[in-house]
Amino acid sequence: MTNNLLRVRDLCIDAPASKGPIRIAQGIDFDLHRGEVLALIGESGAGKSTIGIATLGAGRGGAYIAQGSILLEGEDIMAKGAARLRSIRGLRVAYVAQSAASAFNPAHRLIDQVTETIISRGIMDRPAARSRAIELFRKLGLPSPETFGEKFPHQASGGQLQRAMTAMAICAGPELIVFDEPTTALDVTTQIEVLLSIRQAIRDEGMAAIYISHDLALVAQIADQIMVLRHGQIVETGPTRDIIERPQQDYTRRLIAVQSVALPTRSSQPVMLEISGINASYGRVPVLHNINLSVAKGRTLALVGESGSGKSTLGKVVAGLLPPDSGRVTLVDRPLSSSLSGRSRQDLRDIQLVHQNPDLALNPRRSVGDSIGQAVTMFRGLTNKDCSREVAHLLEQVNLDPALATRLPHALSGGQKQRVCIARALAANPRLIICDEVTSALDPLVAEGVQNLLRQLQEDEGVSYLFITHDFGAVRAMADEVAVMRQGSVIAYGPTGQVLNAPQDPYTQKLISSVPELRVGWLDDIVAARTAPQNARTEKMT
């Protein structure tokens, strides 16, 4: 059995277009050995996900392999036909998608979906498959692993769904897994646990992995090799340490340089949004406890905390999507109705929400132009040519080509879809935008551009942001104030510099210490630091 599991040569991928096929990836060559991780990095639309999915013998958004070979243990998987490809997918090769929420069937319990492949293919019977799933739930840090699988997808947080999908991919013990932004929806402490689990699974089971990401700090902890992509071509490739510490190309240097950000400092402003005594629940389960926060005009309040801490739930309360049990939300001294149906058209225009998951936020049957144009017509009353011009202007504002207005969402990258959602929110000229992980799907350069855009809007229009995120780099770049949430309560609240540079409580200290550093070996140092006290206690007891 050869150690070289995957060999890709001269891979070229085309996408259909009205004037003939467009080449979206060209001349891709690499080898991947058992137990190794190859990271694909680059800006949105660089071809990362398209190339990763192609190694599974699949196309994305109508894309197809125009030429080249993909050899899995010497077998050209593209030469065996559709039946052979179906027989290896889910067993020998597996995929962890960027958007776990759209990958699960909302009508079925998680345990049934995680175990479906290994049961239907006859690998395990139902009791054994269930035990295997529970074991993976525990390894991936999911709450109450014995009963977690009984939940339906809507009952789990975005981070929990991402880990459940990782368990589903690992369940059958495949030889190759393509991880497409697997930690995008995870908070910083959970990222460490998931990364450790993924890395350990690769080592223990001799798997190989293609790890698609825009987060270089995370890539540095798990990848053996890095391939930098731009416009569907290889910019440079090499061992992780060489790429991180000695990049040869200007584009790679720029990706690394944007990791450094500075805290914004600005004068005080009157209050735009006030959240007073908010308590909320899902059914009979309390999820928010006496939340008191405010956001000034033209300022940003960041909500941080682990998955399930209540960040997105608070955003839903402010947006009117979840009526609170008690408390009040006020916008510029105007009390808002607790329910969406009770809010005026002006209320709806003033507060816009950019969802964490663009796949769920965009209608898959509507073109980009139709989705944005609907908001332009609703809130500004523009139609026909005026509407089309405004749609083009909004796309340019978020650094997208106006020509994308004719495309359907499935033909866009994850980062492009998120920017479409931002453009649609901007169409209302809102006073407050609730940004729920708006940069989580974006590569560093594009994320920096979106952050610059959001800051410019603040300067020009005085718009305020409730910025929900687990990305502390984005917090430092965007936020004037930070509220740290845990189990539905605010445990730290104040100016960004004060909260991040001098955390007072152990939980906030743990969150900040879990932010990955852009250096090879950081994760190993963190693990060593955390196990040292345990070893010391063990030695003392013996």
Side-chain angles (χ1 to χ4, degrees):
M1 182 171 61
T2 178
N3 190 45
N4 188 11
L5 179 68
L6 183 69
R7 171 167 289 190
V8 175
R9 289 292 181 271
D10 193 28
L11 179 63
C12 297
I13 303 172
D14 288 354
S18 58
K19 296 182 179 180
I22 299 172
R23 182 136 298 179
I24 55 177
Q26 182 170 342
I28 306 300
D29 293 327
F30 64 87
D31 291 322
L32 185 59
H33 298 86
R34 294 179 181 277
E36 284 189 348
V37 179
L38 170 67
L40 305 183
I41 67 170
E43 59 192 301
S44 297
K48 306 186 298 295
S49 295
T50 299
I51 293 168
I53 293 172
T55 63
L56 308 178
R60 177 182 182 182
Y64 57 93
I65 296 172
Q67 68 181 59
S69 60
I70 302 170
L71 305 179
L72 183 67
E73 280 196 317
E75 178 185 4
D76 189 343
I77 64 173
M78 299 307 301
K80 297 297 182 179
R84 176 57 177 160
L85 284 173
R86 286 194 296 270
S87 72
I88 67 173
R89 288 176 185 156
L91 297 183
R92 296 185 65 192
V93 298
Y95 178 67
V96 176
Q98 181 178 5
S99 173
S102 62
F104 283 102
N105 188 323
H108 295 279
R109 298 183 188 276
L110 292 171
I111 190 74
D112 295 328
Q113 299 186 64
V114 169
T115 59
E116 179 181 9
T117 297
I118 56 177
I119 293 174
S120 64
R121 301 289 185 90
I123 297 175
M124 295 182 184
D125 59 21
R126 192 170 298 276
R130 182 180 180 85
S131 297
R132 168 69 167 160
I134 291 172
E135 173 194 1
L136 290 172
F137 291 161
R138 185 176 293 109
K139 285 184 177 181
L140 290 168
L142 286 163
S144 304
E146 289 80 9
T147 58
F148 175 80
E150 300 306 315
K151 292 184 177 183
F152 289 93
H154 74 273
Q155 295 174 313
S157 70
Q160 290 169 351
L161 285 180
Q162 198 70 33
R163 282 175 282 171
M165 190 174 186
T166 301
M168 183 163 58
I170 295 175
C171 213
E175 299 162 78
L176 171 67
I177 298 184
V178 175
F179 292 98
D180 194 347
E181 301 276 10
T183 59
T184 288
L186 306 183
D187 58 80
V188 289
T189 56
T190 306
Q191 278 182 342
I192 292 178
E193 304 305 325
V194 172
L195 276 177
L196 285 171
S197 298
I198 291 173
R199 191 172 71 175
Q200 196 62 45
I202 291 169
R203 292 175 177 176
D204 291 348
E205 302 191 27
M207 297 185 299
I210 294 175
Y211 193 97
I212 299 164
S213 181
H214 61 265
D215 192 328
L216 280 166
L218 290 179
V219 162
Q221 313 314 315
I222 195 169
D224 300 286
Q225 302 278 328
I226 293 178
M227 178 184 294
V228 183
L229 295 162
R230 191 180 192 194
H231 304 318
Q233 296 182 318
I234 298 174
V235 175
E236 65 177 302
T237 186
T240 297
R241 186 178 296 276
D242 289 349
I243 297 294
I244 297 297
E245 297 179 1
R246 294 176 292 277
Q248 301 299 305
Q249 302 298 320
D250 289 340
Y251 178 71
T252 310
R253 296 190 190 104
R254 288 174 55 209
L255 285 176
I256 293 171
V258 297
Q259 300 291 314
S260 300
V261 295
L263 291 171
T265 56
R266 294 181 286 187
S267 60
S268 61
Q269 291 288 334
V271 172
M272 174 70 74
L273 175 76
E274 184 141 15
I275 302 166
S276 306
I278 290 294
N279 293 277
S281 58
Y282 288 123
R284 297 183 178 180
V285 180
V287 291
L288 295 179
H289 312 286
N290 193 32
I291 305 297
N292 296 278
L293 299 168
S294 64
V295 185
K297 179 182 179 182
R299 299 293 179 261
T300 299
L301 169 65
L303 298 181
V304 300
E306 294 177 306
S307 297
S309 63
K311 307 185 301 295
S312 294
T313 299
L314 181 57
K316 291 177 182 178
V317 170
V318 173
L321 299 175
L322 176 67
D325 300 327
S326 60
R328 185 174 67 175
V329 177
T330 304
L331 186 71
V332 197
D333 298 326
R334 183 173 81 245
L336 298 175
S337 172
S338 61
S339 66
L340 196 64
S341 60
R343 296 190 179 183
S344 68
R345 178 177 289 269
Q346 188 60 48
D347 293 337
L348 299 178
R349 179 172 183 171
D350 283 344
I351 298 180
Q352 292 291 304
L353 170 65
V354 179
H355 195 272
Q356 177 181 3
N357 188 340
D359 287 312
L360 298 181
L362 294 173
N363 188 327
R365 295 186 178 182
R366 279 185 175 271
S367 70
V368 167
D370 286 344
S371 292
I372 301 174
Q374 184 181 34
V376 171
T377 300
M378 176 179 179
F379 292 117
R380 300 193 195 180
L382 301 180
T383 58
N384 301 328
K385 290 184 178 180
D386 290 337
C387 180
S388 297
R389 280 195 292 267
E390 184 59 24
V391 168
H393 172 66
L394 289 165
L395 288 171
E396 289 176 339
Q397 273 193 297
V398 294
N399 300 319
L400 287 176
D401 187 342
L404 295 181
T406 60
R407 292 194 187 181
L408 293 174
H410 76 266
L412 304 180
S413 70
Q416 289 173 325
K417 283 182 280 193
Q418 189 65 289
R419 283 179 279 167
V420 170
C421 292
I422 295 172
R424 185 174 60 182
L426 296 177
N429 281 332
R431 305 175 86 169
L432 173 76
I433 298 180
I434 302 169
C435 302
D436 194 349
E437 302 281 8
V438 294
T439 59
S440 63
L442 308 181
D443 64 84
L445 290 177
V446 175
E448 182 187 39
V450 170
Q451 290 166 10
N452 290 338
L453 167 67
L454 295 175
R455 285 196 296 266
Q456 189 61 50
L457 286 168
Q458 281 189 322
E459 295 297 326
D460 296 343
E461 309 293 338
V463 65
S464 302
Y465 301 117
L466 188 62
F467 201 82
I468 301 167
T469 187
H470 62 263
D471 184 346
F472 278 82
V475 171
R476 290 183 179 275
M478 289 293 300
D480 300 279
E481 292 188 301
V482 179
V484 181
M485 298 189 67
R486 186 184 189 191
Q487 297 176 351
S489 297
V490 174
I491 63 170
Y493 176 38
T496 301
Q498 176 181 315
V499 173
L500 298 190
N501 296 336
Q504 299 300 306
D505 64 282
Y507 177 73
T508 306
Q509 292 170 1
K510 180 184 177 183
L511 283 178
I512 294 172
S513 69
S514 299
V515 178
E517 297 178 11
L518 186 54
R519 62 179 177 86
V520 177
W522 170 85
L523 184 57
D524 294 320
D525 292 344
I526 289 294
V527 172
R530 293 185 178 180
T531 56
Q534 297 176 353
N535 294 337
R537 286 194 295 269
T538 302
E539 292 176 3
K540 186 175 181 179
M541 293 175 62
T542 56

